[in-house]
C-alpha cells in the first residue's frame, strides 16, 4: 500500500471507446484521491489516415484541431471533478508504441491507466494496444474494463 501513496503523476490514454471513457473516470478518481498530476494523452492513429490525407496540410490541421478540442474538453472535465493539475498531450502514431516509447519517457508517470478495448469490429482481434502497453511499459499499468 505504501507504493500507492508515491503516485504523483498519472497518465491516462483516451479515445472514443467505452473502456477509455471508463479509464478516464478511474484516472480522475485516482488523481483526485492521491493528489496526483493527471496527464491525458490522445493518439492520432497513423493507420486511420491514408497517404493522401497525410500529405494534405489542411486535412491534418483539421484533424489535429479536432483532437485538441476533444482533449481540452477532457481537461475541463478533470478540473471540474477536482483534479488540480491537468495536462493534455496529443501525439501521432501507433497508440501503444507511441505511448510507451515517446510519451512515458517525456512525462515520467508513476502509473498508466488505459481501457482494455479501444477498437471495434474485426480490428480488435488483431492485437490489443492495452496488452502491448502492459507488456512493454516501464511503469505500472492499470487496464480498465
Amino acid at each position: 500500500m505504501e507504493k500507492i501513496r508515491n503516485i504523483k503523476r498519472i497518465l491516462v490514454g483516451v479515445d472514443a471507446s467505452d473502456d477509455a471513457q471508463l479509464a478516464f473516470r478511474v484516472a480522475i478518481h485516482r488523481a483526485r484521491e492521491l493528489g496526483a498530476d493527471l496527464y491525458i494523452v490522445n493518439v492520432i492513429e497513423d493507420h486511420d489516415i491514408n497517404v493522401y490525407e497525410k500529405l494534405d496540410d489542411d486535412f491534418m490541421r483539421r484533424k489535429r484541431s479536432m483532437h485538441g478540442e476533444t482533449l481540452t474538453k477532457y481537461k475541463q472535465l478533470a478540473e471540474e471533478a477536482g483534479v488540480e493539475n491537468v495536462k493534455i498531450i496529443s501525439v501521432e502514431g501507433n497508440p501503444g508504441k507511441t505511448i510507451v516509447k515517446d510519451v512515458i519517457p517525456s512525462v515520467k508517470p508513476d502509473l498508466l491507466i488505459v481501457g482494455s478495448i479501444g477498437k471495434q469490429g474485426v480490428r480488435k482481434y488483431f492485437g490489443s494496444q492495452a496488452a502491448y502497453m502492459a507488456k512493454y511499459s516501464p511503469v505500472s499499468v492499470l487496464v480498465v474494463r
Side-chain angles (χ1 to χ4, degrees):
M1 198 63 155
E2 189 64 33
K3 178 79 170 153
I4 290 177
R5 289 190 200 128
N6 292 327
I7 293 176
K8 299 295 181 203
R9 290 184 180 182
I10 296 173
L11 175 64
V12 60
V14 296
D15 59 25
S17 70
D18 291 340
D19 283 356
Q21 303 302 306
L22 181 57
F24 176 67
R25 290 192 298 275
V26 168
I28 286 174
H29 178 73
R30 291 289 174 236
R32 191 178 56 226
E33 177 181 74
L34 300 169
D37 298 343
L38 180 62
Y39 291 78
I40 306 166
V41 64
N42 180 262
V43 180
I44 299 172
E45 297 185 49
D46 282 347
H47 65 269
D48 287 344
I49 302 170
N50 68 46
V51 68
Y52 300 109
E53 292 169 334
K54 185 80 170 166
L55 294 172
D56 183 340
D57 289 338
D58 289 334
F59 175 84
M60 291 305 296
R61 193 174 6 268
R62 284 190 308 274
K63 187 108 173 140
R64 289 180 186 118
S65 176
M66 286 182 353
H67 278 260
E69 289 170 13
T70 299
L71 279 169
T72 299
K73 289 176 187 173
Y74 276 113
K75 181 179 182 188
Q76 248 178 333
L77 289 169
E79 290 171 340
E80 289 169 5
V83 181
E84 291 186 25
N85 192 13
V86 182
K87 305 237 188 295
I88 54 175
I89 303 164
S90 181
V91 292
E92 297 174 24
N94 173 286
K97 289 180 182 174
T98 301
I99 289 172
V100 168
K101 294 181 179 181
D102 299 330
V103 179
I104 289 175
S106 70
V107 171
K108 296 178 180 55
D110 302 301
L111 176 65
L112 169 63
I113 301 176
V114 294
S116 65
I117 300 173
K119 294 293 177 191
Q120 302 302 319
V122 74
R123 285 177 37 185
K124 72 180 180 180
Y125 297 109
F126 290 111
S128 165
Q129 298 296 334
Y132 179 90
M133 289 183 270
K135 182 174 182 179
Y136 294 106
S137 173
V139 300
S140 295
V141 179
L142 173 60
V143 179
V144 179
R145 100 177 263 114

